[in-house]
Amino acid sequence: MVKRVRVVRMSVEQPLWRALTGYRVLTMVYAVLLAVFARDEYERPWIAFGFLALLTVWTLATLPKVASAAACTRGFLGVDLALAMTGILITPLADLQAQQVDGSTLPSIWTAGSVLAFAIKGGWRWAGFASSLVAVANLIERGEPSRDTLHNVMLVWVASIAIGYVVEVARASERTLARALEIEAATRERERLARDIHDSVLQVLAMVQRRGAALGGEAAELGRLAGEQEVALRTLVSSGLVPPTRVSEDASQGAVVRTVEVDDEQDEAGGETDLRTLLTPHAGSRISFAEPGAPVLLPSAAAAELAAAVGAALDNVRVHAGDGAQAWILLEDWPDEVIVTVRDDGPGIPEGRLAQAEGEGRLGVALSIRGRLRDLGGTAELISVPGQGTEVELKVPKVSRGKAGQVG
């Protein structure tokens, strides 16, 4: 079976980079139009339009630099901020009245894009640094700053720091989410391994122990050793030995990356399986199987898991109800769900026995049955009355609400 690694990226800050890209283009167009409409106010228009031409080329050429955290390097941020500050400081050279009359600087609100890039890249501290430099440049450009100038400076300073703080909170949330996904994936993998072990190895060891004790002699010693290994393996399954998934934070990408191993065969499997074909082999002299006349179709993976849960329920009948017990399987196909009922005429399960068995590491019902149904988005209900047998009802929705077969 071929294993491969699928990488799932989760980033809530990526939309901020896309928004910043659009903001830079729109504010560049705004700055150019503002200068065109106010061209008669410039004593040296060649300075204004020369700078705006440079600003236009720079903005369009560096769009890939503000597409992601990885592309937005410190060098780019430094040059970008220097260009914005240069535009602010040379405004009086193009407009000799700029220091006496409140008006827009050459880069206008494009400058805020440079500060926001610092905020998204490095958080609120970087935003505070960049906005402080822009504030100093504005105060120098105005000479004697007015109330409007101070208002605009404070607005950029507060807004950029707030956005930087939000970005840091978002990154922390991503790391928390990735850790939760890792724990969930590890738990499900542990339960899957435990089910497989219970359905095969543990049952063989239990059978060897019983047969060895019945035969006596050297076989009894072999049965005793098998019993010890069964207990040790149940303990290992209960504590959890799980192939780890790997979660890491790629700071250069501004994203939390989770890598998981998946089976190519399972990932590429498609189509549906008639559940009747998987349950029919259970029928025999002591097991009756009642089925609909039409195919009961489920996704192949879901059908296999449901059939395995039925097999686990029948194993419990053989072990706990005795070889002479009679069992019945009823398969029902409803419009929105499939129901399989397994009933026996054994002695039933004493009250509290299931909880005791789970505490002892005997997880047949907890994992092989309920665990499988939970992964499929279904339910498993067990009804048992001492002396009147046991009934297990397994319900699986036609469209799975669980996470079986999903990655990431």
Side-chain angles (χ1 to χ4, degrees):
M1 185 176 294
V2 180
K3 291 279 189 179
R4 64 184 175 84
V5 174
R6 172 180 295 176
V7 178
V8 180
R9 293 189 180 277
M10 300 167 290
S11 178
V12 297
E13 70 180 74
Q14 194 58 38
L16 295 178
W17 288 109
R18 289 194 291 267
L20 178 61
T21 301
Y23 178 86
R24 287 170 64 89
V25 173
L26 292 177
T27 53
M28 174 205 72
V29 174
Y30 175 78
V32 172
L33 293 177
L34 198 63
V36 170
F37 292 138
R39 60 184 179 276
D40 295 336
E41 299 177 5
Y42 292 114
E43 287 77 12
R44 299 187 182 97
W46 61 271
I47 295 179
F49 289 103
F51 172 79
L52 291 174
L54 176 61
L55 182 69
T56 300
V57 173
W58 171 260
T59 301
L60 297 178
T62 58
L63 287 181
K65 288 290 186 180
V66 290
S68 66
C72 187
T73 61
R74 294 187 179 187
F76 162 75
L77 289 174
V79 175
D80 197 60
L81 185 62
L83 179 63
M85 294 174 61
T86 300
I88 294 173
L89 294 174
I90 67 173
T91 298
L93 299 179
D95 181 7
L96 301 180
Q97 304 299 318
Q99 292 184 331
Q100 284 75 39
V101 180
D102 279 330
S104 174
T105 59
L106 289 179
S108 186
I109 57 176
W110 185 91
T111 303
S114 297
V115 177
L116 293 177
F118 272 84
I120 300 174
K121 173 69 175 181
W124 70 269
R125 294 176 180 83
W126 286 32
F129 169 76
S131 58
S132 297
L133 292 181
V134 170
V136 171
N138 275 283
L139 295 176
I140 294 175
E141 184 267 336
R142 292 300 181 192
E144 296 181 0
S146 65
R147 183 177 61 182
D148 289 341
T149 301
L150 294 176
H151 172 77
N152 293 335
V153 166
M154 183 61 65
L155 180 62
V156 172
W157 194 74
V158 172
S160 62
I161 290 180
I163 292 176
Y165 178 75
V166 169
V167 169
E168 290 189 0
V169 171
R171 286 173 179 161
S173 299
E174 286 177 342
R175 289 192 292 269
T176 303
L177 174 61
R179 178 57 181 164
L181 290 174
E182 178 188 79
I183 294 174
E184 180 187 16
T187 301
R188 291 185 178 277
E189 179 66 9
R190 182 179 68 187
E191 291 182 354
R192 185 189 66 80
L193 292 175
R195 289 196 296 263
D196 293 342
I197 292 173
H198 176 271
D199 293 347
S200 56
V201 181
L202 290 177
Q203 292 191 10
V204 172
L205 291 175
M207 182 184 68
V208 171
Q209 181 187 17
R210 291 195 302 270
R211 295 292 177 84
L215 294 174
E218 294 183 359
E221 177 64 16
L222 179 62
R224 185 186 65 80
L225 294 175
E228 292 177 356
Q229 293 303 312
E230 180 193 5
V231 172
L233 188 55
R234 288 187 188 277
T235 302
L236 181 62
V237 168
S238 300
S239 60
L241 182 61
V242 183
T245 57
R246 300 180 298 282
V247 174
S248 61
E249 181 187 7
D250 187 347
S252 64
Q253 294 290 340
V256 174
V257 178
R258 174 184 174 211
T259 61
V260 293
E261 289 187 348
V262 296
D263 296 340
D264 276 343
E265 296 177 3
Q266 179 182 357
D267 189 53
E268 297 174 0
E272 296 180 322
T273 298
D274 185 358
L275 185 59
R276 299 180 306 170
T277 62
L278 301 180
L279 298 182
T280 299
H282 293 299
S285 60
R286 297 192 178 276
I287 300 177
S288 301
F289 178 40
E291 59 182 295
V296 180
L297 299 178
L298 282 176
S300 298
E305 286 291 279
L306 181 54
V310 173
L314 293 174
D315 288 338
N316 286 335
V317 173
R318 283 189 288 268
V319 173
H320 301 293
D323 294 335
Q326 187 76 25
W328 294 267
I329 305 173
L330 173 62
L331 174 59
E332 300 174 85
D333 187 13
W334 294 90
D336 57 344
E337 65 182 356
V338 172
I339 303 176
V340 181
T341 305
V342 180
R343 184 169 59 86
D344 66 69
D345 59 357
I349 302 175
E351 186 176 356
R353 177 54 186 154
L354 289 179
Q356 179 185 355
E358 187 171 347
E360 295 172 353
R362 300 180 180 273
L363 305 177
V365 173
L367 293 181
S368 292
I369 299 178
R370 286 177 177 159
R372 280 191 166 96
L373 271 294
R374 183 180 62 249
D375 288 349
L376 295 175
T379 59
E381 183 177 357
L382 188 146
I383 303 173
S384 182
V385 178
Q388 299 182 20
T390 301
E391 179 177 304
V392 179
E393 185 179 69
L394 311 175
K395 294 183 179 180
V396 175
K398 291 291 186 67
V399 179
S400 177
R401 298 185 297 269
K403 298 182 180 180
Q406 296 182 4
V407 179

